[in-house]
Amino acid sequence: MAQAMKLAQKSSLTCRPNPAVGAVIVKNNEVIADGYHERYGSDHAEVMAIKKCKDASQLNQSTIYITMEPCSHHGKTPPCVDLILASNISRVVIASLDPNPKVHGQGVKKLLDANVKVDTGILENQAFELNRGFFSRMQHQKPYVISKIAASVDGKTALRNWQSKWISGAESRANVQQLRKQCDGILTSYKTINIDNPQLNIREAGLINQPYRFILDTNLKLNMQSQILQQSKVIVYHAEPLKSKPTVKAEFVQISKKNHQLNLQEIMAHMCSLEVNDLLVECGAGLNGVLIHEQWLDELVIFQANSILGGEAKSMFNFPVIDEMQHRIQLEMVEQRYFGTDRRLKFKVNYVD
């Protein structure tokens, strides 16, 4: 199963919005074939592994290890379960069930009904981490939300005049490009666009498939001359009615208000309809504060530079305002490493009701 996990990782950037899946077929304690879901619309991992087996007779009474439950329905490809049964594979070992409620458990049931031995839950946590965005979208109707913040040692993100270039070093900024590649969408606010005029794209030669760029602009205060609005796959969420469509490529989507601001639940649902699994947040203290206050944020990635920005500089979060220590938000550090002289810290956010 560990080998299947490594294979699945190869497709984590190419098979979106489908989950990354790997498969290994074993006969008499020897690997006879393997495969992974290379790209969206191509053969699933199980099918690739079965097709790669040079001697089809070896599949008889073999065991296949799969990082996610094989599908049992017709999608872009035929059901994987049918090919497993036709190949006379006698045992199927699965890391995690498919979180899609339309599929969940159906592949296992079909295998068991055909008297195939099935084992589940092998390296299940690793399988979840590999496709955490897909699990989040299917189980919670929201993407897995990661906020990226560049900050000084004293936790500041910009000077009081909003100057922020550059807190972090070149190595950190290069790593941000990798973070963007791992996500289906990038979220920011109109304030960030108006102040920095960023493109928020992946700057890689020959790359065609950019992530979605989402901009929150409740009252339509966005500078319509911003360069990002001339790109495709840019969506502006707003509450005020749009009097006329600006002459830009960006799409404008009207969202209802909740507590005098855009309804984030409605926005997350719209992102899920676009099959956004992983969402990277690049914004200021206002939106970051709202996201963590309303418990939408799953992970923090902080690039901490060896500098101090001092008093009246901008903080990482404006919200929530906490008056008692028992209400503080706890973070679980999952990784720290250096990029140049900057320290990158990864935290999972643990909310307590």
Short mmCIF file of all heavy atoms in Angstrom, two decimals, residues 43-98:
data_model
loop_
_atom_site.label_atom_id
_atom_site.label_comp_id
_atom_site.label_asym_id
_atom_site.label_seq_id
_atom_site.Cartn_x
_atom_site.Cartn_y
_atom_site.Cartn_z
N ASP A 43 -7.30 6.55 -17.91
CA ASP A 43 -7.59 5.33 -17.15
C ASP A 43 -7.33 5.55 -15.66
O ASP A 43 -6.36 6.21 -15.28
CB ASP A 43 -6.68 4.19 -17.63
CG ASP A 43 -7.12 3.63 -18.97
OD1 ASP A 43 -8.29 3.82 -19.34
OD2 ASP A 43 -6.29 2.99 -19.65
N HIS A 44 -8.21 4.96 -14.85
CA HIS A 44 -7.99 4.99 -13.41
C HIS A 44 -6.83 4.06 -13.05
O HIS A 44 -6.38 3.25 -13.86
CB HIS A 44 -9.26 4.57 -12.67
CG HIS A 44 -10.33 5.62 -12.72
ND1 HIS A 44 -11.52 5.51 -12.03
CD2 HIS A 44 -10.40 6.81 -13.39
CE1 HIS A 44 -12.27 6.58 -12.27
NE2 HIS A 44 -11.60 7.38 -13.09
N ALA A 45 -6.35 4.19 -11.82
CA ALA A 45 -5.14 3.47 -11.40
C ALA A 45 -5.29 1.96 -11.55
O ALA A 45 -4.37 1.28 -12.04
CB ALA A 45 -4.83 3.82 -9.94
N GLU A 46 -6.45 1.43 -11.15
CA GLU A 46 -6.65 -0.02 -11.22
C GLU A 46 -6.60 -0.52 -12.66
O GLU A 46 -6.02 -1.57 -12.96
CB GLU A 46 -8.02 -0.39 -10.62
CG GLU A 46 -8.28 0.21 -9.25
CD GLU A 46 -9.01 1.53 -9.33
OE1 GLU A 46 -8.50 2.44 -10.01
OE2 GLU A 46 -10.08 1.65 -8.72
N VAL A 47 -7.23 0.25 -13.54
CA VAL A 47 -7.28 -0.13 -14.95
C VAL A 47 -5.88 -0.10 -15.55
O VAL A 47 -5.48 -1.02 -16.28
CB VAL A 47 -8.23 0.81 -15.72
CG1 VAL A 47 -8.19 0.49 -17.22
CG2 VAL A 47 -9.65 0.68 -15.19
N MET A 48 -5.13 0.95 -15.23
CA MET A 48 -3.76 1.05 -15.76
C MET A 48 -2.91 -0.13 -15.29
O MET A 48 -2.16 -0.72 -16.08
CB MET A 48 -3.11 2.36 -15.31
CG MET A 48 -1.66 2.48 -15.77
SD MET A 48 -0.87 3.99 -15.21
CE MET A 48 -1.28 5.07 -16.56
N ALA A 49 -3.04 -0.48 -14.01
CA ALA A 49 -2.25 -1.59 -13.47
C ALA A 49 -2.62 -2.91 -14.16
O ALA A 49 -1.74 -3.70 -14.55
CB ALA A 49 -2.46 -1.69 -11.97
N ILE A 50 -3.92 -3.14 -14.33
CA ILE A 50 -4.36 -4.38 -14.97
C ILE A 50 -3.89 -4.45 -16.42
O ILE A 50 -3.41 -5.48 -16.90
CB ILE A 50 -5.90 -4.51 -14.87
CG1 ILE A 50 -6.31 -4.78 -13.42
CG2 ILE A 50 -6.41 -5.63 -15.78
CD1 ILE A 50 -7.81 -4.71 -13.16
N LYS A 51 -3.98 -3.33 -17.12
CA LYS A 51 -3.54 -3.30 -18.52
C LYS A 51 -2.03 -3.50 -18.66
O LYS A 51 -1.55 -4.02 -19.67
CB LYS A 51 -3.95 -1.98 -19.17
CG LYS A 51 -5.44 -1.86 -19.46
CD LYS A 51 -5.75 -0.54 -20.16
CE LYS A 51 -7.20 -0.44 -20.58
NZ LYS A 51 -7.52 0.85 -21.25
N LYS A 52 -1.29 -3.07 -17.64
CA LYS A 52 0.18 -3.19 -17.69
C LYS A 52 0.67 -4.61 -17.43
O LYS A 52 1.84 -4.92 -17.70
CB LYS A 52 0.82 -2.23 -16.68
CG LYS A 52 0.91 -0.79 -17.16
CD LYS A 52 1.49 0.12 -16.09
CE LYS A 52 2.92 -0.24 -15.74
NZ LYS A 52 3.50 0.69 -14.74
N CYS A 53 -0.20 -5.42 -16.87
CA CYS A 53 0.21 -6.80 -16.58
C CYS A 53 0.42 -7.56 -17.89
O CYS A 53 -0.52 -7.76 -18.67
CB CYS A 53 -0.86 -7.49 -15.73
SG CYS A 53 -0.35 -9.11 -15.14
N LYS A 54 1.65 -7.96 -18.16
CA LYS A 54 2.00 -8.57 -19.46
C LYS A 54 1.34 -9.92 -19.66
O LYS A 54 0.99 -10.29 -20.78
CB LYS A 54 3.52 -8.71 -19.55
CG LYS A 54 4.25 -7.36 -19.57
CD LYS A 54 5.75 -7.54 -19.63
CE LYS A 54 6.45 -6.19 -19.65
NZ LYS A 54 7.94 -6.34 -19.69
N ASP A 55 1.16 -10.66 -18.58
CA ASP A 55 0.53 -11.99 -18.67
C ASP A 55 -0.78 -11.93 -17.90
O ASP A 55 -0.79 -11.98 -16.66
CB ASP A 55 1.46 -13.06 -18.09
CG ASP A 55 0.87 -14.46 -18.19
OD1 ASP A 55 -0.26 -14.60 -18.71
OD2 ASP A 55 1.55 -15.42 -17.75
N ALA A 56 -1.89 -11.79 -18.60
CA ALA A 56 -3.19 -11.63 -17.96
C ALA A 56 -3.56 -12.80 -17.06
O ALA A 56 -4.31 -12.64 -16.10
CB ALA A 56 -4.27 -11.42 -19.03
N SER A 57 -3.00 -13.97 -17.34
CA SER A 57 -3.32 -15.14 -16.52
C SER A 57 -2.80 -14.99 -15.10
O SER A 57 -3.31 -15.62 -14.16
CB SER A 57 -2.76 -16.41 -17.16
OG SER A 57 -1.34 -16.39 -17.17
N GLN A 58 -1.77 -14.16 -14.92
CA GLN A 58 -1.23 -13.93 -13.58
C GLN A 58 -2.20 -13.19 -12.67
O GLN A 58 -2.08 -13.26 -11.44
CB GLN A 58 0.08 -13.13 -13.67
CG GLN A 58 1.29 -13.94 -14.11
CD GLN A 58 2.58 -13.17 -13.88
OE1 GLN A 58 2.80 -12.14 -14.49
NE2 GLN A 58 3.41 -13.68 -13.01
N LEU A 59 -3.14 -12.48 -13.27
CA LEU A 59 -4.11 -11.73 -12.46
C LEU A 59 -5.04 -12.67 -11.68
O LEU A 59 -5.58 -12.28 -10.64
CB LEU A 59 -4.95 -10.82 -13.36
CG LEU A 59 -4.17 -9.69 -14.07
CD1 LEU A 59 -5.05 -9.01 -15.10
CD2 LEU A 59 -3.66 -8.68 -13.04
N ASN A 60 -5.21 -13.88 -12.17
CA ASN A 60 -6.07 -14.84 -11.50
C ASN A 60 -5.56 -15.12 -10.09
O ASN A 60 -4.40 -15.48 -9.89
CB ASN A 60 -6.12 -16.15 -12.31
CG ASN A 60 -7.10 -17.14 -11.73
OD1 ASN A 60 -8.23 -16.79 -11.39
ND2 ASN A 60 -6.67 -18.39 -11.61
N GLN A 61 -6.44 -14.91 -9.10
CA GLN A 61 -6.12 -15.14 -7.68
C GLN A 61 -5.02 -14.19 -7.15
O GLN A 61 -4.33 -14.51 -6.19
CB GLN A 61 -5.71 -16.60 -7.45
CG GLN A 61 -6.79 -17.61 -7.81
CD GLN A 61 -8.07 -17.39 -7.02
OE1 GLN A 61 -8.06 -17.40 -5.78
NE2 GLN A 61 -9.20 -17.17 -7.70
N SER A 62 -4.87 -13.05 -7.77
CA SER A 62 -3.90 -12.07 -7.28
C SER A 62 -4.57 -11.11 -6.30
O SER A 62 -5.78 -11.17 -6.07
CB SER A 62 -3.30 -11.29 -8.45
OG SER A 62 -4.30 -10.50 -9.08
N THR A 63 -3.77 -10.21 -5.72
CA THR A 63 -4.26 -9.18 -4.80
C THR A 63 -3.92 -7.81 -5.37
O THR A 63 -2.81 -7.59 -5.84
CB THR A 63 -3.60 -9.32 -3.41
OG1 THR A 63 -3.97 -10.57 -2.84
CG2 THR A 63 -4.05 -8.20 -2.49
N ILE A 64 -4.89 -6.91 -5.35
CA ILE A 64 -4.64 -5.54 -5.80
C ILE A 64 -4.77 -4.58 -4.62
O ILE A 64 -5.72 -4.66 -3.84
CB ILE A 64 -5.58 -5.13 -6.96
CG1 ILE A 64 -5.19 -3.75 -7.49
CG2 ILE A 64 -7.04 -5.18 -6.55
CD1 ILE A 64 -5.87 -3.38 -8.80
N TYR A 65 -3.79 -3.74 -4.45
CA TYR A 65 -3.78 -2.71 -3.40
C TYR A 65 -4.12 -1.37 -4.05
O TYR A 65 -3.44 -0.95 -5.00
CB TYR A 65 -2.41 -2.63 -2.74
CG TYR A 65 -2.03 -3.88 -1.97
CD1 TYR A 65 -1.50 -5.00 -2.62
CD2 TYR A 65 -2.19 -3.94 -0.58
CE1 TYR A 65 -1.15 -6.14 -1.92
CE2 TYR A 65 -1.86 -5.09 0.13
CZ TYR A 65 -1.33 -6.18 -0.54
OH TYR A 65 -0.99 -7.31 0.16
N ILE A 66 -5.15 -0.71 -3.54
CA ILE A 66 -5.62 0.55 -4.14
C ILE A 66 -5.77 1.60 -3.05
O ILE A 66 -6.28 1.31 -1.96
CB ILE A 66 -6.97 0.37 -4.85
CG1 ILE A 66 -7.03 -0.94 -5.64
CG2 ILE A 66 -7.25 1.55 -5.77
CD1 ILE A 66 -8.40 -1.30 -6.15
N THR A 67 -5.35 2.82 -3.34
CA THR A 67 -5.40 3.87 -2.31
C THR A 67 -6.80 4.42 -2.09
O THR A 67 -7.04 5.09 -1.10
CB THR A 67 -4.45 5.03 -2.66
OG1 THR A 67 -4.80 5.56 -3.94
CG2 THR A 67 -3.01 4.55 -2.69
N MET A 68 -7.72 4.16 -3.02
CA MET A 68 -9.12 4.57 -2.83
C MET A 68 -10.05 3.53 -3.45
O MET A 68 -9.70 2.88 -4.44
CB MET A 68 -9.40 5.95 -3.45
CG MET A 68 -10.79 6.49 -3.13
SD MET A 68 -11.06 8.20 -3.71
CE MET A 68 -10.08 9.10 -2.51
N GLU A 69 -11.21 3.39 -2.87
CA GLU A 69 -12.21 2.43 -3.33
C GLU A 69 -12.43 2.51 -4.84
O GLU A 69 -12.62 3.60 -5.39
CB GLU A 69 -13.53 2.73 -2.60
CG GLU A 69 -14.71 1.87 -3.02
CD GLU A 69 -15.99 2.28 -2.31
OE1 GLU A 69 -16.02 3.38 -1.70
OE2 GLU A 69 -16.96 1.51 -2.37
N PRO A 70 -12.41 1.38 -5.54
CA PRO A 70 -12.64 1.40 -6.99
C PRO A 70 -14.08 1.81 -7.31
O PRO A 70 -15.01 1.48 -6.58
CB PRO A 70 -12.36 -0.05 -7.41
CG PRO A 70 -12.57 -0.86 -6.18
CD PRO A 70 -12.15 0.02 -5.04
N CYS A 71 -14.23 2.54 -8.40
CA CYS A 71 -15.55 3.04 -8.77
C CYS A 71 -16.42 1.91 -9.32
O CYS A 71 -15.94 0.93 -9.88
CB CYS A 71 -15.43 4.17 -9.78
SG CYS A 71 -14.68 3.69 -11.36
N SER A 72 -17.73 2.09 -9.16
CA SER A 72 -18.68 1.07 -9.62
C SER A 72 -19.72 1.69 -10.54
O SER A 72 -20.78 1.10 -10.77
CB SER A 72 -19.37 0.41 -8.42
OG SER A 72 -20.03 1.41 -7.64
N HIS A 73 -19.46 2.88 -11.05
CA HIS A 73 -20.41 3.58 -11.89
C HIS A 73 -19.73 4.06 -13.17
O HIS A 73 -18.51 4.16 -13.25
CB HIS A 73 -21.01 4.78 -11.15
CG HIS A 73 -20.00 5.86 -10.89
ND1 HIS A 73 -18.96 5.71 -10.00
CD2 HIS A 73 -19.86 7.12 -11.43
CE1 HIS A 73 -18.23 6.82 -9.99
NE2 HIS A 73 -18.74 7.68 -10.85
N HIS A 74 -20.53 4.36 -14.16
CA HIS A 74 -20.02 4.89 -15.42
C HIS A 74 -19.82 6.39 -15.29
O HIS A 74 -20.76 7.13 -15.00
CB HIS A 74 -20.99 4.59 -16.57
CG HIS A 74 -20.89 3.19 -17.08
ND1 HIS A 74 -19.99 2.81 -18.07
CD2 HIS A 74 -21.57 2.07 -16.72
CE1 HIS A 74 -20.13 1.51 -18.30
NE2 HIS A 74 -21.08 1.04 -17.50
N GLY A 75 -18.59 6.86 -15.49
CA GLY A 75 -18.29 8.28 -15.53
C GLY A 75 -17.63 8.57 -16.86
O GLY A 75 -18.14 8.19 -17.91
N LYS A 76 -16.46 9.21 -16.81
CA LYS A 76 -15.68 9.40 -18.04
C LYS A 76 -15.06 8.08 -18.50
O LYS A 76 -14.67 7.94 -19.65
CB LYS A 76 -14.60 10.46 -17.82
CG LYS A 76 -15.13 11.89 -17.77
CD LYS A 76 -14.00 12.88 -17.73
CE LYS A 76 -14.53 14.30 -17.85
NZ LYS A 76 -15.13 14.59 -19.16
N THR A 77 -14.97 7.12 -17.56
CA THR A 77 -14.43 5.79 -17.87
C THR A 77 -15.38 4.73 -17.31
O THR A 77 -16.18 5.01 -16.42
CB THR A 77 -13.03 5.60 -17.25
OG1 THR A 77 -13.13 5.78 -15.82
CG2 THR A 77 -12.04 6.63 -17.81
N PRO A 78 -15.31 3.49 -17.80
CA PRO A 78 -16.17 2.42 -17.29
C PRO A 78 -15.83 2.09 -15.83
O PRO A 78 -14.77 2.45 -15.32
CB PRO A 78 -15.85 1.23 -18.21
CG PRO A 78 -15.22 1.83 -19.41
CD PRO A 78 -14.49 3.04 -18.94
N PRO A 79 -16.72 1.37 -15.13
CA PRO A 79 -16.47 1.03 -13.73
C PRO A 79 -15.22 0.17 -13.56
O PRO A 79 -15.06 -0.84 -14.25
CB PRO A 79 -17.73 0.25 -13.33
CG PRO A 79 -18.77 0.62 -14.32
CD PRO A 79 -18.03 0.90 -15.59
N CYS A 80 -14.37 0.55 -12.62
CA CYS A 80 -13.15 -0.21 -12.36
C CYS A 80 -13.46 -1.56 -11.73
O CYS A 80 -12.75 -2.55 -11.96
CB CYS A 80 -12.22 0.58 -11.44
SG CYS A 80 -11.62 2.12 -12.18
N VAL A 81 -14.53 -1.62 -10.93
CA VAL A 81 -14.90 -2.87 -10.27
C VAL A 81 -15.16 -3.96 -11.31
O VAL A 81 -14.76 -5.12 -11.12
CB VAL A 81 -16.14 -2.67 -9.38
CG1 VAL A 81 -16.72 -4.01 -8.96
CG2 VAL A 81 -15.78 -1.87 -8.14
N ASP A 82 -15.80 -3.62 -12.42
CA ASP A 82 -16.13 -4.62 -13.44
C ASP A 82 -14.86 -5.26 -14.01
O ASP A 82 -14.81 -6.47 -14.23
CB ASP A 82 -16.94 -3.98 -14.56
CG ASP A 82 -18.35 -3.60 -14.11
OD1 ASP A 82 -18.71 -3.94 -12.98
OD2 ASP A 82 -19.06 -2.94 -14.90
N LEU A 83 -13.83 -4.43 -14.24
CA LEU A 83 -12.59 -4.97 -14.79
C LEU A 83 -11.86 -5.82 -13.76
O LEU A 83 -11.26 -6.85 -14.10
CB LEU A 83 -11.68 -3.83 -15.26
CG LEU A 83 -10.39 -4.26 -15.96
CD1 LEU A 83 -10.69 -5.11 -17.19
CD2 LEU A 83 -9.56 -3.03 -16.36
N ILE A 84 -11.93 -5.43 -12.48
CA ILE A 84 -11.32 -6.23 -11.42
C ILE A 84 -11.97 -7.62 -11.36
O ILE A 84 -11.29 -8.65 -11.29
CB ILE A 84 -11.44 -5.51 -10.06
CG1 ILE A 84 -10.56 -4.27 -10.03
CG2 ILE A 84 -11.07 -6.46 -8.90
CD1 ILE A 84 -10.74 -3.39 -8.80
N LEU A 85 -13.30 -7.65 -11.44
CA LEU A 85 -14.01 -8.93 -11.41
C LEU A 85 -13.72 -9.76 -12.66
O LEU A 85 -13.50 -10.97 -12.56
CB LEU A 85 -15.52 -8.68 -11.29
CG LEU A 85 -16.00 -8.04 -9.98
CD1 LEU A 85 -17.49 -7.74 -10.04
CD2 LEU A 85 -15.67 -8.95 -8.80
N ALA A 86 -13.65 -9.10 -13.80
CA ALA A 86 -13.38 -9.83 -15.05
C ALA A 86 -11.96 -10.39 -15.08
O ALA A 86 -11.69 -11.39 -15.77
CB ALA A 86 -13.58 -8.90 -16.25
N SER A 87 -11.06 -9.80 -14.28
CA SER A 87 -9.66 -10.25 -14.24
C SER A 87 -9.43 -11.36 -13.23
O SER A 87 -8.31 -11.86 -13.08
CB SER A 87 -8.75 -9.07 -13.92
OG SER A 87 -8.90 -8.04 -14.88
N ASN A 88 -10.51 -11.74 -12.50
CA ASN A 88 -10.43 -12.82 -11.50
C ASN A 88 -9.45 -12.50 -10.37
O ASN A 88 -8.83 -13.41 -9.80
CB ASN A 88 -10.06 -14.16 -12.16
CG ASN A 88 -11.15 -14.67 -13.07
OD1 ASN A 88 -12.33 -14.59 -12.75
ND2 ASN A 88 -10.76 -15.16 -14.25
N ILE A 89 -9.30 -11.23 -10.06
CA ILE A 89 -8.52 -10.83 -8.87
C ILE A 89 -9.31 -11.26 -7.64
O ILE A 89 -10.50 -10.96 -7.52
CB ILE A 89 -8.26 -9.32 -8.89
CG1 ILE A 89 -7.33 -8.97 -10.06
CG2 ILE A 89 -7.65 -8.85 -7.58
CD1 ILE A 89 -7.14 -7.47 -10.29
N SER A 90 -8.66 -11.95 -6.72
CA SER A 90 -9.40 -12.56 -5.62
C SER A 90 -9.43 -11.73 -4.34
O SER A 90 -10.24 -11.98 -3.45
CB SER A 90 -8.80 -13.94 -5.29
OG SER A 90 -7.43 -13.80 -4.90
N ARG A 91 -8.52 -10.77 -4.23
CA ARG A 91 -8.48 -9.95 -3.00
C ARG A 91 -8.20 -8.50 -3.37
O ARG A 91 -7.33 -8.21 -4.21
CB ARG A 91 -7.40 -10.46 -2.05
CG ARG A 91 -7.31 -9.70 -0.73
CD ARG A 91 -6.20 -10.25 0.15
NE ARG A 91 -6.05 -9.48 1.37
CZ ARG A 91 -4.88 -9.15 1.91
NH1 ARG A 91 -3.74 -9.52 1.31
NH2 ARG A 91 -4.82 -8.45 3.02
N VAL A 92 -8.95 -7.60 -2.75
CA VAL A 92 -8.78 -6.16 -2.98
C VAL A 92 -8.53 -5.49 -1.63
O VAL A 92 -9.34 -5.61 -0.70
CB VAL A 92 -10.02 -5.55 -3.67
CG1 VAL A 92 -9.83 -4.05 -3.87
CG2 VAL A 92 -10.30 -6.24 -5.00
N VAL A 93 -7.40 -4.80 -1.53
CA VAL A 93 -7.04 -4.09 -0.30
C VAL A 93 -7.16 -2.60 -0.59
O VAL A 93 -6.53 -2.08 -1.52
CB VAL A 93 -5.61 -4.45 0.16
CG1 VAL A 93 -5.29 -3.76 1.47
CG2 VAL A 93 -5.47 -5.96 0.31
N ILE A 94 -7.96 -1.91 0.21
CA ILE A 94 -8.30 -0.51 -0.05
C ILE A 94 -7.88 0.36 1.13
O ILE A 94 -8.16 0.02 2.29
CB ILE A 94 -9.81 -0.36 -0.30
CG1 ILE A 94 -10.24 -1.21 -1.50
CG2 ILE A 94 -10.20 1.10 -0.49
CD1 ILE A 94 -11.74 -1.37 -1.61
N ALA A 95 -7.23 1.49 0.83
CA ALA A 95 -6.84 2.40 1.91
C ALA A 95 -8.06 3.15 2.45
O ALA A 95 -8.32 3.15 3.65
CB ALA A 95 -5.79 3.40 1.41
N SER A 96 -8.83 3.80 1.57
CA SER A 96 -9.99 4.57 2.02
C SER A 96 -11.17 4.36 1.09
O SER A 96 -10.99 4.13 -0.12
CB SER A 96 -9.66 6.06 2.08
OG SER A 96 -9.47 6.58 0.78
N LEU A 97 -12.36 4.44 1.64
CA LEU A 97 -13.56 4.41 0.82
C LEU A 97 -13.66 5.73 0.07
O LEU A 97 -13.11 6.75 0.48
CB LEU A 97 -14.80 4.19 1.68
CG LEU A 97 -14.88 2.87 2.45
CD1 LEU A 97 -16.19 2.79 3.22
CD2 LEU A 97 -14.74 1.68 1.52
N ASP A 98 -14.38 5.72 -1.04
CA ASP A 98 -14.60 6.95 -1.80
C ASP A 98 -15.54 7.85 -1.01
O ASP A 98 -16.64 7.45 -0.65
CB ASP A 98 -15.22 6.60 -3.16
CG ASP A 98 -15.21 7.77 -4.14
OD1 ASP A 98 -15.41 8.92 -3.70
OD2 ASP A 98 -15.00 7.54 -5.34
#
